[in-house]
Amino acid sequence: MPVRQLRNDPDEFVAEALRGLQGAHPELVHCQPDPAYVLRAQPARRAKVALVSGGGSGHEPLHTGFVGAGMLDAAVPGAVFASPTAFQIAAAIRASDRGHGVLLIVKNYTGDVLNFSIAAELVADEGIEVGTVLVDDDLATEPAAEGGPGRRGTAAVVAVEKICGAAAERGATLAELVALGRRVVDSARTMALALAACTQPGQDRPSFDLPADEVEFGVGIHGEHGVGRRPFALARELVPQLAEPVVRALGLASGASVLAIVNGLGATHALELSVVHQELSDYLNGLGVEVARSLVGPYVTALDMRGCSVTLLRADAELIELWDAPVRTPALTW
Amino acid sequence: MPVRQLRNDPDEFVAEALRGLQGAHPELVHCQPDPAYVLRAQPARRAKVALVSGGGSGHEPLHTGFVGAGMLDAAVPGAVFASPTAFQIAAAIRASDRGHGVLLIVKNYTGDVLNFSIAAELVADEGIEVGTVLVDDDLATEPAAEGGPGRRGTAAVVAVEKICGAAAERGATLAELVALGRRVVDSARTMALALAACTQPGQDRPSFDLPADEVEFGVGIHGEHGVGRRPFALARELVPQLAEPVVRALGLASGASVLAIVNGLGATHALELSVVHQELSDYLNGLGVEVARSLVGPYVTALDMRGCSVTLLRADAELIELWDAPVRTPALTW
């Protein structure tokens, strides 16, 4: 059976969803239609550094669902799986700046890096101070050598937005936020697998097919192929295969403490994600690694992809305290 | 391709997911393994009426994800799509009672009604005061005549848990909570549609197939058939077909105000749910009906079903204030 969606014209999908987000949360967000960006409905009481992120749509709640107190000041959505324009990004930066500078949180994709960088130059000429944190946590795309686009940015971006968002509310400067965000990125790595690919609006077939006895390892969040296929297996066998390279890349050893994100890629049920978390905890506890805090749910999706990603972030007292700080955004509130 | 899940033995799916929930949110919930129920990790500061709900699993975050301050004191999960036992329910009631009585919130299914009722009798003999709110919002099962099981309970249960949970925190008595819960139930109706059925753990095919040009109207949350098939269409045509019978059943007219729940049934993307909310708002505004508050997301799922339900609840100042009260549970928090 072809895959179908609840939508109207695929070309209006994102614009109509933004109207829906606005209608559902008028107290939290203000969605500008053209150029499209999403702003906090009520600016922070105290002027502070503004946080702006964005990227292709199809990953909701990222980024638009994370606009609000304690997280982003603005999010800039592109079309599905396509970067927003520099013009959109610059408009969002101008609208969020309150004279203390703007932190740009950018996932490492060629289009996003280019367009955020052009936007940063545009507004710098207007006197707005801008700093950038590039998020590149996806181990599946670890380059074998220097050069090339490097690792993709995936679910660690949620931690960067949350932790830097909390620090900004407490009055951190732009330079401090850039350093903090880079520290989070350096401490975090992610690995993902898919049981089934996603279907783009306007298509009626998933972007790739998988044999019944295989899973796609190292998938990204755009329906692209992963880095290899492995036998389908029980969660207790698959989850350590996700966690092991992350543990190795971060050099986690007994006594370490981590923040864990078990992220659903779109069509993965909450029961499944809870089982994945259980297996992840068991695996890490077996290594003597403590899971200090966890986030379990669909936070960075790839439309209706079935599967999950596991992100670990080396924790310390400062990061845990910022992780725990209050937040109120469309996706993170009643 | 057969549908696959991230899990181990299907018979251990729910038990392992409870361990995962516990591991992810030790500060919020305490999951008892046998008999299985989920308790608030920290009881309310002030002794109050306890709220206990439950039912078959497969609908997560309902109910286990709604245990915490401002909502449930305990949730009792059955196996997937099967009622918990009276023994489990009675154990959860005993563990939650603090001498002010216990409100049972029960979705209208034969097994749940029977087992909650046996549990209520068991604990009443032990001197625990119990009141019950039966939730029966699903218009698809509106009986043509008296008798029979009546309407099923679906997404309105979230509103009952939230609103009664807030009132309980403020010190409402058991009698007041029973009356409030019944008022919410009387004010709420729901209608659902599916674009694709769900697949039960251990099966590799959805519970029914749909032709590419049809949707299943009036589906429940257990993979059962709906009440009829209609042509697949754009959201702007499908959403009014969901909303119209709800508006009619509640007698909503120009000037009315509603709380709206746009609920994803499991595998429906956030972009789709936002578009559904947009179409729902447009439809209601066209009738002069105001959407006072909205909840948009996967709150009452049917495993990996594709589709959504629309619940409307006639709003007044008291219900809106309780709806807005703080809540902190695994599914409704960072």
Side-chain angles (χ1 to χ4, degrees):
Chain A
M1 195 180 76
V3 174
R4 301 174 299 175
Q5 287 127 10
L6 290 166
R7 59 165 172 76
N8 298 305
D9 182 344
D11 293 338
E12 298 298 320
F13 199 17
V14 172
E16 292 182 348
L18 286 178
R19 280 189 55 211
L21 182 73
Q22 169 75 64
H25 298 287
E27 78 290 5
L28 294 178
V29 294
H30 185 70
C31 300
Q32 287 288 343
D34 189 18
Y37 59 87
V38 178
L39 274 186
R40 275 176 71 160
Q42 297 172 330
R45 226 164 292 173
R46 187 172 65 165
K48 65 171 193 70
V49 176
L51 270 66
V52 175
S53 189
S57 293
H59 309 303
E60 288 69 18
L62 185 82
H63 299 270
T64 52
F66 298 147
V67 173
M71 218 157 163
L72 297 179
D73 294 272
V76 194
V80 170
F81 295 170
S83 175
T85 66
F87 180 67
Q88 276 176 272
I89 300 165
I93 294 172
R94 286 183 200 110
S96 343
D97 178 48
R98 297 180 65 193
H100 293 253
V102 178
L103 180 73
L104 304 180
I105 300 171
V106 184
K107 302 196 299 305
N108 189 27
Y109 297 100
T110 309
D112 288 338
V113 170
L114 182 69
N115 290 322
F116 272 89
S117 141
I118 295 171
E121 282 179 38
L122 284 173
V123 300
D125 289 345
E126 301 161 18
I128 299 177
E129 199 189 357
V130 169
T132 297
V133 173
L134 188 69
V135 183
D136 61 348
D137 53 309
D138 185 6
L139 271 180
T141 44
E142 182 83 54
E146 288 293 313
R151 291 184 304 266
R152 298 177 292 216
T154 58
V157 73
V158 179
V160 177
E161 293 178 3
K162 176 65 179 71
I163 288 169
C164 290
E169 297 279 348
R170 294 172 184 196
T173 65
L174 180 57
E176 288 165 349
L177 291 175
V178 168
L180 177 65
R182 288 181 183 167
R183 185 155 81 82
V184 173
V185 172
D186 288 342
S187 312
R189 291 293 182 273
T190 296
M191 195 69 185
L193 68 81
L195 303 182
C198 60
T199 301
Q200 297 216 29
Q203 305 292 316
D204 64 3
R205 296 283 311 161
S207 55
F208 58 83
D209 282 312
L210 271 168
D213 58 351
E214 289 185 332
V215 301
E216 189 90 11
F217 246 78
V219 286
I221 53 174
H222 299 94
E224 61 271 61
H225 274 285
V227 294
R229 291 189 174 173
R230 298 197 189 171
F232 177 60
L234 298 180
R236 71 171 62 94
E237 294 162 50
L238 291 175
V239 173
Q241 294 179 53
L242 289 176
E244 191 275 333
V246 177
V247 164
R248 188 157 28 89
L250 294 177
L252 298 173
S254 183
S257 174
V258 294
L259 307 170
I261 303 176
V262 172
N263 177 56
L265 290 173
T268 316
H269 196 258
L271 282 174
E272 297 175 83
L273 296 178
S274 285
V275 170
V276 171
H277 188 274
Q278 182 225 215
E279 295 299 339
L280 179 65
S281 294
D282 282 359
Y283 176 78
L284 292 172
N285 293 339
L287 299 175
V289 174
E290 179 211 28
V291 181
R293 296 290 187 277
S294 301
L295 196 61
V296 181
Y299 293 99
V300 180
T301 61
L303 293 171
D304 61 347
M305 187 176 282
R306 275 175 187 269
C308 71
S309 63
V310 166
T311 302
L312 300 179
L313 168 55
R314 191 183 273 284
D316 60 35
E318 183 194 8
L319 297 187
I320 291 175
E321 209 214 332
L322 294 166
W323 177 276
D324 286 345
V327 62
R328 188 162 148 75
T329 77
L332 301 173
T333 189
W334 164 259
Chain B
M1 196 179 76
V3 174
R4 300 175 299 175
Q5 286 127 11
L6 290 167
R7 59 166 171 76
N8 298 306
D9 182 343
D11 292 338
E12 299 298 320
F13 199 18
V14 172
E16 292 182 347
L18 286 179
R19 280 188 56 210
L21 182 73
Q22 169 74 64
H25 298 286
E27 77 292 4
L28 293 179
V29 295
H30 184 71
C31 299
Q32 286 289 342
D34 189 18
Y37 58 88
V38 179
L39 275 185
R40 274 175 71 159
Q42 297 171 330
R45 225 164 291 173
R46 187 172 65 166
K48 66 170 194 71
V49 177
L51 270 65
V52 176
S53 190
S57 294
H59 309 303
E60 287 69 19
L62 186 79
H63 299 270
T64 53
F66 299 146
V67 173
M71 217 156 162
L72 298 179
D73 294 272
V76 194
V80 170
F81 295 169
S83 175
T85 66
F87 181 68
Q88 276 176 272
I89 299 164
I93 294 172
R94 286 184 201 108
S96 341
D97 178 48
R98 296 180 64 194
H100 293 254
V102 179
L103 181 72
L104 303 180
I105 300 171
V106 184
K107 301 195 301 303
N108 189 27
Y109 297 100
T110 309
D112 288 338
V113 170
L114 182 67
N115 290 324
F116 272 89
S117 141
I118 295 172
E121 282 179 38
L122 284 173
V123 300
D125 289 347
E126 301 161 17
I128 299 177
E129 200 190 357
V130 168
T132 298
V133 173
L134 189 70
V135 183
D136 62 347
D137 52 310
D138 184 7
L139 270 181
T141 45
E142 181 84 54
E146 288 292 313
R151 291 184 304 265
R152 298 177 293 216
T154 57
V157 73
V158 180
V160 176
E161 293 179 2
K162 175 65 179 74
I163 288 169
C164 290
E169 298 279 349
R170 293 173 185 198
T173 65
L174 180 57
E176 287 165 350
L177 291 175
V178 169
L180 177 65
R182 289 182 182 167
R183 184 155 81 82
V184 172
V185 172
D186 288 342
S187 311
R189 292 292 183 274
T190 296
M191 196 72 185
L193 68 80
L195 302 182
C198 60
T199 300
Q200 297 218 28
Q203 306 291 316
D204 64 2
R205 294 284 311 160
S207 56
F208 58 83
D209 283 312
L210 272 169
D213 59 351
E214 289 185 333
V215 301
E216 189 88 12
F217 246 79
V219 287
I221 53 175
H222 299 93
E224 62 272 59
H225 274 285
V227 294
R229 291 188 174 173
R230 299 195 189 172
F232 177 60
L234 297 180
R236 73 171 61 95
E237 293 162 52
L238 290 174
V239 174
Q241 293 179 53
L242 288 176
E244 190 275 335
V246 177
V247 165
R248 188 156 29 88
L250 295 176
L252 298 173
S254 182
S257 175
V258 294
L259 306 170
I261 303 175
V262 171
N263 176 56
L265 290 173
T268 316
H269 196 260
L271 282 174
E272 296 176 84
L273 296 178
S274 285
V275 170
V276 170
H277 188 274
Q278 181 224 215
E279 294 299 338
L280 179 65
S281 294
D282 282 358
Y283 176 78
L284 293 172
N285 293 340
L287 299 174
V289 173
E290 179 212 27
V291 181
R293 296 290 186 277
S294 300
L295 196 61
V296 181
Y299 294 100
V300 180
T301 60
L303 293 171
D304 61 347
M305 186 176 283
R306 277 175 185 269
C308 71
S309 63
V310 166
T311 301
L312 300 179
L313 167 54
R314 190 184 273 284
D316 59 36
E318 183 194 8
L319 297 187
I320 291 174
E321 209 214 332
L322 293 166
W323 178 275
D324 286 344
V327 62
R328 188 162 148 75
T329 79
L332 301 173
T333 189
W334 164 259

